[in-house]
Every structure is written in C-alpha cells, then in structure tokens.
Amino acid sequence: MPRVPRPRDGRGQDREILRLAVPAFFALVAEPLFILADSAVVGHLGTPQLAGLGVAGAVLATLVNLCVFLAYATTAGVARLLGAGDRQGAIRQGIDGIWLAALIGVVLLAAGTIGAPWIVDAFGASATAAPHATTYLRISSLGIPAMLIVLAATGVLRGLQDTRTPLVVAVAGFSANLALNLLFVYGLHLGIAGSAWGTVAAQCAMGAAYLAVVIRGARAAGAPLIPDPAGIRASATAGVPLFVRTVSLRAILLITTIAATHMGDNEIATHQVAWQIWTFLAFALDALAIAAQAIVGRALGAGDAAGARSATRRMLVWSVWTGVLFGLVVVAARPLYIPWFTGDPEVRHLLGLVLIAAAALQPLAGPVFVLDGVLIGAGDGRFLALTMPIVLGVFAVTVAAVLTLGGGLVALWWCGVGAFMATRLVLLGRRAAGDAWLVTGANVRDGGGK
C-alpha cells in the first residue's frame, strides 16, 4: 500500500493541521457537555440530587481521565503504522487497544457497582447527597466499558487521520444524552437514576457506533477482530508511561485545589471558576496536540523525520499565536462573562485578577500542549513518564512556598501554575530540540524501528 503523502509547503501543512484540529476541537468541547447536561436536568430535582451528581461525576471524570492513555497510545501506534503503509497492521493495533479498553472497563464496572457506597464515602459526600451519589455511580458504572471503548476507538480514528467521525459521534451522543435525560427524569419520573440510565444508554450507543466504524474498516483492510493476548499486553505496556504522566497531572490539580481551599471560601470559589475557564481553553489548545499526535506519528512511521520536525515547528507557531489570541480574549471579555458565574463582588474582583494570570500563561500553555502531543505521537512516553514527576516536584515546592509566605490565590496562579507550565515548557522544549524522539519505523511499541 502506498504511504500517505505529507504536505511539504507551509500552506499545505496549515490545511492539514486545520483539517485535523478543527473537528477535534468541537469533539473535545462536546465531551464535557455530558456532565453539564446531566447537571442542568438534575439540578431541578433538588440540591441533594445535584450534590450527589457532583460527587459521582467527579469519580467518573477521574476514572476517564486516568484512562485517557487508551486514546493517546492508540493514536500514536496507529498513525505510525499508517505512515509506514501498513493500514491492516494499524487497524489491528487499534483493535488491540479496544480489547484492552473493554477489559479495563469490565474491572472498573465491577468496582463501581459493588464499591459505590464506599467510594462515595471516601469522596466525603454529605449524608443527604450520599444516597443520590451512590445511585448515580452504581448505574453509571454500567457505561464505563463503553466510555473506555470510545476512548480507544477515538484513538484509532485519530491515528487514521480521521477527526470528523469522532465529532459526529460526540455531537450525536450529547444530543441523545440530553433527550434521554429529559425523558427518563421528567417523562418517566425516574429521578437521578433516570439521568444515569440516560447517560449509560447514550454512552453505549456511542461505543456501538465507534465499533461499527472500526469493524467496517477492519474488514476492508483484512484485519482480524479476535483478541490477540500479545497485542493486548503490548498496548497495556505502551500505555503505562502515559498513565504515569496522567497521574502526575491529576496530582497537580488536586494540590492546587487543596491549596485554594485552605485560603478561604472566596478563594476556592474563585479558583473553581478560573480552573473551569482554564480547562475550556485547554480543550481548544489540545485540539492542536491531537493533530500533532496524528501527524508526527504518521510522519515517523513513514521514515520522514524531517517532515515530523517541520510539522512540529509549524504547529508551535500556531500554538503560540492561538495562546496569545486566547489570552487577549480572556482579559478583554472579563466584564462580559465574569457576572455569569457569581454575583459576589469580592469573588468577581478576585476572579478578574486571577484571570489576568491565566491569560498571561496561555502563550506558554499552547506550546506545552503541542509539544506534549508531538512526543506522544512519537511514542516518547517514557520521557514523559520520567519528567512529569519532576514537574510535580517543582510545582509542589512552589505552592508550599506560596502558602508559607502567606501568598493568596493570585500568587498561587502566577507562581504555582506559572512554574508548572514553565517547567513543562523547558523540559519538553529541550527534548523536542534534540533528535532522541525522532525514531522512525513502523513499531512505536519498541520505540520505533522495525
């Protein structure tokens, strides 16, 4: 099979980046709408139900975020094999990732359904919220295998340079989720359990849609669908470094939240809003990172190290200017959107100051996310696993210094979040400037080469 051509000129690269990044952006934005839709529907049932959803949603979000390696590792492996001209092998590797997702999903399903009361208690749910959280978590756990299959199958399609299908499935899934929630909660009067069942049904439908697309592609390429124990083990091994990376990122989020909590109610309220805005911006910038995973993986699989470096430079330019644009919009539009989140004048004032720091960090965040995607696409997970604990250590020391010196939330963002992003940029930038990650060949699982 002929290898996939890569645009050589700058405009051609720009078109390819946009072709992958724009649908990826809208698909990423659609994902958090699941919880937002659930919150909007459940919120009218009462405060205890909404609080229960908050606890159960946090548990599910944590599980999904920790398993995001299913998408990232699969994207890198599939893209590399596609670049090498082995479409059958690419899909075969993607199917291994989907089988791994199904196995992990079954284990988490059992843990969620059986251990729901203890998990909810560990998250500190109140006596009034705990029963609702337990109900929602126990039912929603039935959809975890489908959620993880969606992650892995999304990685397959991204590796095959297709980000449009995930967009279509995400939009359809969100629409179905909202409609089913309204039907089950208000039409059938099932309460918070109805919201959970609606979400499970939508997730299972999304998983089935992805499987249908992958199976059709596998049959067209002549790739077998039966589980391959060796391939599943290899997929798990490839995902371990990215799992370590993700755990470190989650630890940083937890430390930031704990630090803000100790500063006072106004501070934690402000931080939660600011972090949600930061997260939304991160979704937009992460679309470039997804394009980086697909493009770099494919180029290295095709033996085109120069093309991988050229595309990286182009995406870095895009990321810097996108970060600058986002930063300017965040600052300029503050009077328009801050009132949406709170009527407290003190929180509004503090949020305005924190968002200046968040805006100033966007030009750093853009290159960080792209370089992260570049190295994931190159299969350089071991480097990411080794360096993220360093980032975590620098961040923890900086936050401790802020708290010791009596700094407030604004200092936490400027110094703590700033050190987090700056340290990542230095480490990722030094790695990308060298040649160690430019390993060509079809097999990313062995670090490249074949």
Side-chain angles (χ1 to χ4, degrees):
M1 180 180 293
R3 293 180 178 180
V4 180
R6 185 192 63 81
R8 285 286 182 180
D9 61 288
R11 289 186 178 180
Q13 287 182 335
D14 290 344
R15 286 194 296 269
E16 184 179 35
I17 292 167
L18 288 174
R19 179 180 64 82
L20 294 171
V22 172
F25 164 70
F26 287 108
L28 287 168
V29 170
E31 289 176 14
L33 292 179
F34 270 90
I35 294 298
L36 288 178
D38 288 358
S39 299
V41 174
V42 172
H44 292 284
L45 294 175
T47 300
Q49 288 88 339
L50 184 59
L53 173 64
V55 173
V59 175
L60 292 169
T62 299
L63 291 176
V64 173
N65 285 328
L66 289 176
C67 291
V68 75
F69 68 88
L70 291 167
Y72 289 173
T74 304
T75 297
V78 171
R80 184 177 286 260
L81 285 165
L82 181 71
D86 185 6
R87 188 177 187 87
Q88 182 186 84
I91 296 177
R92 171 70 260 185
Q93 183 161 327
I95 290 171
D96 292 338
I98 292 174
W99 277 110
L100 175 63
L103 293 174
I104 295 174
V106 170
V107 173
L108 295 180
L109 183 157
T113 53
I114 297 172
W118 295 277
I119 296 172
V120 167
D121 184 63
F123 269 69
S126 66
T128 54
H132 301 293
T134 300
T135 296
Y136 190 93
L137 180 58
R138 184 165 276 157
I139 296 172
S140 293
S141 294
L142 299 174
I144 290 178
M147 293 165 64
L148 300 192
I149 287 172
V150 166
L151 281 178
T154 300
V156 176
L157 296 180
R158 288 173 179 170
L160 294 174
Q161 316 296 295
D162 176 10
T163 56
R164 291 187 179 182
T165 300
L167 170 60
V168 172
V169 175
V171 171
F174 164 69
S175 302
N177 180 56
L178 179 57
L180 291 171
N181 268 258
L182 291 172
L183 173 63
F184 292 165
V185 173
Y186 298 119
L188 301 180
H189 305 289
L190 297 178
I192 194 170
S195 177
W197 281 116
T199 300
V200 168
Q203 289 164 344
C204 289
M206 290 176 66
Y210 271 115
L211 287 177
V213 173
V214 173
I215 290 171
R216 185 171 65 246
R219 287 175 175 168
L225 298 173
I226 60 173
D228 174 17
I232 294 172
R233 285 194 299 270
S235 292
T237 301
V240 169
L242 295 180
F243 178 77
V244 173
R245 161 194 171 276
T246 304
V247 168
S248 298
L249 290 173
R250 298 300 297 181
I252 287 170
L253 171 60
L254 181 61
I255 291 171
T256 310
T257 303
I258 292 173
T261 301
H262 284 290
M263 292 177 181
D265 289 345
N266 286 343
E267 283 77 7
I268 185 57
T270 300
H271 174 72
Q272 288 301 318
V273 174
W275 195 261
Q276 290 305 313
I277 294 172
W278 174 277
T279 301
F280 179 81
L281 296 173
F283 276 124
L285 293 172
D286 217 28
L288 287 171
I290 288 171
Q293 292 174 28
I295 293 172
V296 169
R298 190 195 69 205
L300 292 178
D304 188 5
R309 190 179 288 283
S310 174
T312 297
R313 294 195 188 101
R314 201 73 184 176
M315 286 182 283
L316 283 173
V317 172
W318 273 89
S319 69
V320 171
W321 284 110
T322 303
V324 170
L325 176 62
F326 285 177
L328 292 175
V329 171
V330 167
V331 171
R334 285 179 303 159
L336 299 177
Y337 64 81
I338 286 180
W340 297 349
F341 297 100
T342 178
D344 188 320
E346 293 186 14
V347 174
R348 285 187 178 184
H349 175 70
L350 185 58
L351 181 58
L353 296 177
V354 170
L355 288 174
I356 293 176
L361 293 173
Q362 291 306 300
L364 293 182
V368 165
F369 294 155
V370 163
L371 289 172
D372 197 51
V374 165
L375 296 182
I376 290 174
D380 203 13
R382 185 171 181 273
F383 171 80
L384 296 174
L386 291 174
T387 55
M388 277 309 301
I390 297 174
V391 175
L392 175 59
V394 171
F395 174 77
V397 170
T398 305
V399 170
V402 169
L403 294 176
T404 301
L405 297 174
L409 185 65
V410 176
L412 176 65
W413 272 78
W414 276 110
C415 300
V417 180
F420 165 48
M421 299 310 298
T423 304
R424 289 185 75 190
L425 182 59
V426 169
L427 293 173
L428 294 173
R430 284 176 60 87
R431 183 67 168 184
D435 297 328
W437 62 280
L438 289 170
V439 181
T440 58
N443 197 346
V444 70
R445 289 169 174 170
D446 297 329
K450 192 174 180 180

